[in-house]
């Protein structure tokens, strides 16, 4: 979970779900207390209704017995066999008929008959008016016992019906909303990242879309600053390339005049000046080579469309290797090659030949005397793999990626002594990249440097 989109999505989602759960629990508990009280009142009313019905049955029976036998003793005796509040029979004026009436109930019945306000202790008295067979009215009264808690008491920890279905729906809907919000927030950062990568890959025209009316929005301001930086970089790099290109073109004419003057000087100078003139010619040739490579690098940097055709890479490798072998023999070095036939690539022959030649000549310069540069070309799936290995001192690990930069030198004095310009490997890297390939260098455990080139098959 390293991306900002994932972090925003997870935290938004968890925060939404947690907040919804907390609010639900609070709302549920706020509703639970009134619901519990209402449930208790309803259950108490039902309890009193049942008690009233029981009193009506008792009163009718007790009234019948009283009129026939003069006393409800038999009905009172039957109550002892049944669990529940004890009922008593009273006359219509509140006079007790049943025996053993508690004073508390007798007083409550008299006050009830007189219509007085009930005392707090007797407000739960239940009294029912019944009629005997003769039409005479009686009162059956009882004090109910404490009402037990209603069955299936509401539990704040027990979720209500359909709770988990509601939670699942909330979870999914909040997830979709948070995903959309996170995607919208992270979208400018993704565009900025893509533009940064294009800029790093060499696309100096890379920019991000900035909405002018969103001034003050931090990500929008970041995109505006990126565009300013990219524009300045493009301007500086293009000015640098233009300077190199113009300077190289301007140096062509003086060099041509210098070579003409050198030829005239050789004819008119004494033999003692030959050594100095040879040195001037050597430096002139180096300068001419440098200018040629600068113009080549400039053309490659422009990304100009190259004339391409299908070419036999094995034939090209063999041609470059033979030329390099001819030059290497003069310094007790050799070039060995092994090329798989039938490997065809689609590209520019001149530029690929120059790129391969630069890599091979660089290897010949630094391989030890009495050793051979090894060139191997083989097919690897849909890729042509070319390896060029020398037996030299290699390159420090931290500088392996830098050797393909223009004018970069691992060892200043050695490179200048070898006659290198510091541009050959840069040209090779640009050429391979324009052909959709890759080039890399690595030090071998047994010593020496190996440059690996990969090109897509045509």
């Amino acid at each position: 979970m390293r991306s900002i989109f994932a972090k925003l999505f997870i935290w938004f989602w968890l925060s939404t779900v947690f907040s919804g759960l907390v609010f639900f629990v609070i709302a549920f508990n706020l509703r639970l207390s009134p619901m519990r009280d209402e449930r208790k009142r309803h259950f108490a009313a039902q309890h009193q209704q049942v008690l009233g019905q029981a009193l009506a049955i008792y009163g009718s029976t007790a009234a019948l017995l009283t009129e026939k036998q003069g006393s409800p003793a038999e009905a009172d005796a039957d109550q002892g066999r049944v669990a529940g509040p004890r009922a008593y029979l009273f006359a219509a004026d509140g006079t007790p008929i049943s025996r053993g009436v508690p004073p508390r109930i007798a007083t409550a019945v008299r006050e009830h008959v007189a219509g007085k306000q009930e005392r707090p202790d007797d407000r739960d008295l239940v009294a029912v008016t019944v009629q005997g067979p003769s039409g005479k009215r009686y009162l059956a009264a009882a004090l109910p016992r404490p009402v037990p808690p209603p069955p299936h008491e509401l539990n704040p920890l027990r979720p209500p019906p359909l709770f988990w279905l509601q939670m699942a729906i909330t979870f999914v809907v909040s997830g979709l909303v948070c995903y959309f919000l996170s995607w919208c927030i992270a979208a400018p950062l993704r565009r900025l990242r893509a533009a940064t990568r294009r800029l790093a890959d060499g696309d100096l025209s890379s920019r991000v879309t900035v909405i002018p009316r969103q001034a003050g929005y931090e990500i929008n301001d970041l995109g505006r600053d990126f565009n300013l930086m990219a524009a300045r970089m493009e301007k500086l790099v293009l000015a640098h390339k233009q300077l190199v290109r113009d300077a190289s073109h301007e140096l062509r004419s003086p060099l041509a005049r210098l070579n003409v003057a050198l030829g005239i000087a050789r004819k008119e100078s004494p033999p003692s000046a030959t050594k100095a003139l040879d040195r001037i010619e050597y430096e002139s040739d180096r300068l001419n080579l440098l200018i040629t490579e600068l113009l080549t690098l400039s053309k490659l940097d422009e990304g100009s469309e190259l004339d391409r055709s299908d070419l036999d890479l094995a034939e090209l490798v063999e041609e470059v290797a033979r030329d390099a072998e001819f030059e290497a023999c003069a310094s007790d070095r050799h070039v060995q090659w092994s090329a798989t036939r039938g490997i065809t690539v689609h590209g520019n022959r001149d530029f690929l030949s120059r790129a391969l030649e630069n890599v091979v000549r660089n290897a010949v310069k630094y391989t030890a005397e009495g050793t051979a540069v090894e060139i191997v070309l083989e097919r690897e799936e849909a890729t042509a793999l070319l390896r060029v290995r020398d037996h030299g001192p290699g390159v420090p690990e931290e500088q392996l990626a830098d050797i393909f930069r223009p004018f970069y030198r691992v060892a200043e004095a050695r490179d200048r002594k070898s006659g290198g310009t510091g541009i050959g490997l840069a040209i090779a890297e640009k050429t391979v990249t324009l052909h959709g390939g890759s080039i890399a260098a690595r030090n071998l455990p047994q010593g020496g440097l190996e440059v690996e080139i990969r090109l897509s098959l045509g």
Side-chain angles (χ1 to χ4, degrees):
M1 196 175 67
R2 295 182 179 179
S3 69
I4 190 171
F5 166 73
K7 292 179 180 179
L8 286 172
F9 172 63
I10 293 298
W11 284 112
F12 276 2
W13 199 5
L14 291 179
S15 300
T16 303
V17 172
F18 180 74
S19 300
L21 186 61
V22 170
F23 290 151
F24 175 82
V25 171
I26 293 175
F28 180 70
N29 280 275
L30 289 176
R31 290 186 56 195
L32 188 63
S33 181
M35 289 171 61
R36 188 185 291 115
D37 294 341
E38 178 63 26
R39 185 178 177 86
K40 287 181 178 179
R41 286 193 296 269
H42 179 69
F43 185 73
Q46 286 184 332
H47 184 72
Q48 288 196 349
Q49 183 180 4
V50 172
L51 180 59
Q53 293 173 354
L55 282 176
I57 296 173
Y58 162 78
S60 298
T61 304
L64 175 64
L65 292 174
T66 298
E67 292 184 358
K68 285 186 177 182
Q69 301 177 5
S71 172
E74 188 175 341
D76 291 340
D78 291 338
Q79 291 188 78
R81 304 187 187 96
V82 181
R86 187 172 181 81
Y88 301 93
L89 184 67
F90 294 83
D93 59 357
T95 303
I97 298 176
S98 297
R99 295 179 181 179
V101 178
R104 176 184 174 191
I105 296 180
T107 303
V109 170
R110 284 196 298 269
E111 292 181 351
H112 174 74
V113 171
K116 296 182 180 179
Q117 185 177 4
E118 297 178 352
R119 293 180 299 174
D121 292 341
D122 301 323
R123 64 183 183 274
D124 292 332
L125 174 71
V126 179
V128 177
T129 302
V130 295
Q131 190 173 358
S134 63
K136 186 178 180 180
R137 294 183 178 277
Y138 299 88
L139 284 177
L143 283 178
R145 294 180 179 177
V147 181
H152 308 295
E153 179 71 19
L154 294 176
N155 187 353
L157 299 180
R158 180 183 298 170
L162 302 179
F163 170 78
W164 294 114
L165 177 60
Q166 294 171 352
M167 285 301 299
I169 295 174
T170 302
F171 197 72
V172 172
V173 172
S174 63
L176 294 175
V177 173
C178 292
Y179 184 90
F180 176 74
L181 289 176
S182 303
W183 182 268
C184 292
I185 293 175
L189 295 178
R190 288 195 300 272
R191 291 194 294 267
L192 180 60
R193 182 184 181 188
T196 304
R197 285 185 173 179
R198 292 195 301 270
L199 185 66
D201 291 338
D203 183 8
L204 298 178
S205 62
S206 176
R207 300 291 187 274
V208 293
T209 303
V210 176
I211 304 176
R213 62 175 178 274
Q214 289 187 352
Y217 179 40
E218 289 82 357
I219 298 179
N220 202 55
D221 293 342
L222 180 61
R224 186 181 295 106
D225 294 340
F226 171 82
N227 288 343
L228 292 175
M229 178 194 70
R232 183 166 179 80
M233 287 180 59
E234 181 180 22
K235 183 178 179 180
L236 291 174
V237 172
L238 292 180
H240 170 73
K241 292 179 179 180
Q242 186 64 38
L243 176 63
V244 171
R245 186 162 51 249
D246 293 345
S248 301
H249 280 293
E250 292 299 327
L251 286 173
R252 285 284 191 173
S253 296
L255 272 176
R257 291 193 293 270
L258 178 62
N259 288 330
V260 172
L262 184 60
I264 295 174
R266 282 188 182 278
K267 295 179 181 180
E268 298 180 356
S269 299
S272 59
T274 302
K275 186 175 181 180
L277 294 175
D278 289 342
R279 180 65 182 181
I280 294 174
E281 184 178 9
Y282 171 75
E283 296 296 341
S284 176
D285 291 341
R286 282 197 62 197
L287 186 57
N288 191 47
L289 176 62
L290 175 61
I291 293 172
T292 301
E293 292 190 338
L294 279 174
L295 290 173
T296 301
L297 185 62
S298 177
K299 183 176 181 180
L300 292 172
D301 280 337
E302 290 176 357
S304 303
E305 187 63 31
L306 304 178
D307 295 330
R308 301 172 186 256
S309 61
D310 291 336
L311 55 96
D312 189 341
L313 196 57
E315 179 182 332
L316 182 63
V317 168
E318 184 174 349
E319 179 182 327
V320 172
R322 289 185 186 279
D323 293 341
E325 167 67 12
F326 179 78
E327 297 176 7
C329 289
S331 57
D332 192 24
R333 296 176 175 88
H334 298 279
V335 176
Q336 299 176 351
W337 64 92
S338 172
T340 302
R341 297 292 177 180
I343 298 180
T344 303
V345 297
H346 187 72
N348 184 282
R349 183 180 182 86
D350 293 337
F351 279 98
L352 284 175
S353 176
R354 187 176 301 178
L356 179 58
E357 184 179 344
N358 289 341
V359 174
V360 173
R361 283 186 172 180
N362 189 75
V364 170
K365 290 175 186 176
Y366 298 116
T367 194
E369 292 186 4
T371 62
V373 172
E374 301 169 12
I375 305 175
V376 178
L377 173 65
E378 56 188 1
R379 184 195 304 268
E380 189 176 90
E381 296 181 354
T383 305
L385 178 59
L386 178 65
R387 296 190 183 95
V388 180
R389 178 201 173 178
D390 64 40
H391 295 272
V395 175
E397 290 291 334
E398 65 275 8
Q399 301 182 33
L400 283 175
D402 295 329
I403 62 176
F404 298 103
R405 287 167 41 198
F407 302 107
Y408 185 84
R409 298 178 184 274
V410 177
E412 187 80 14
R414 184 186 66 181
D415 275 7
R416 291 193 180 279
K417 184 177 179 180
S418 68
T421 62
I423 305 179
L425 291 181
I427 292 177
E429 191 270 339
K430 295 288 185 183
T431 301
V432 172
T433 301
L434 279 177
H435 285 80
S438 63
I439 183 171
R442 65 187 182 100
N443 291 312
L444 298 176
Q446 59 270 35
L449 182 73
E450 182 181 77
V451 176
E452 182 179 276
I453 299 175
R454 293 178 179 269
L455 293 171
S456 300
L457 297 179

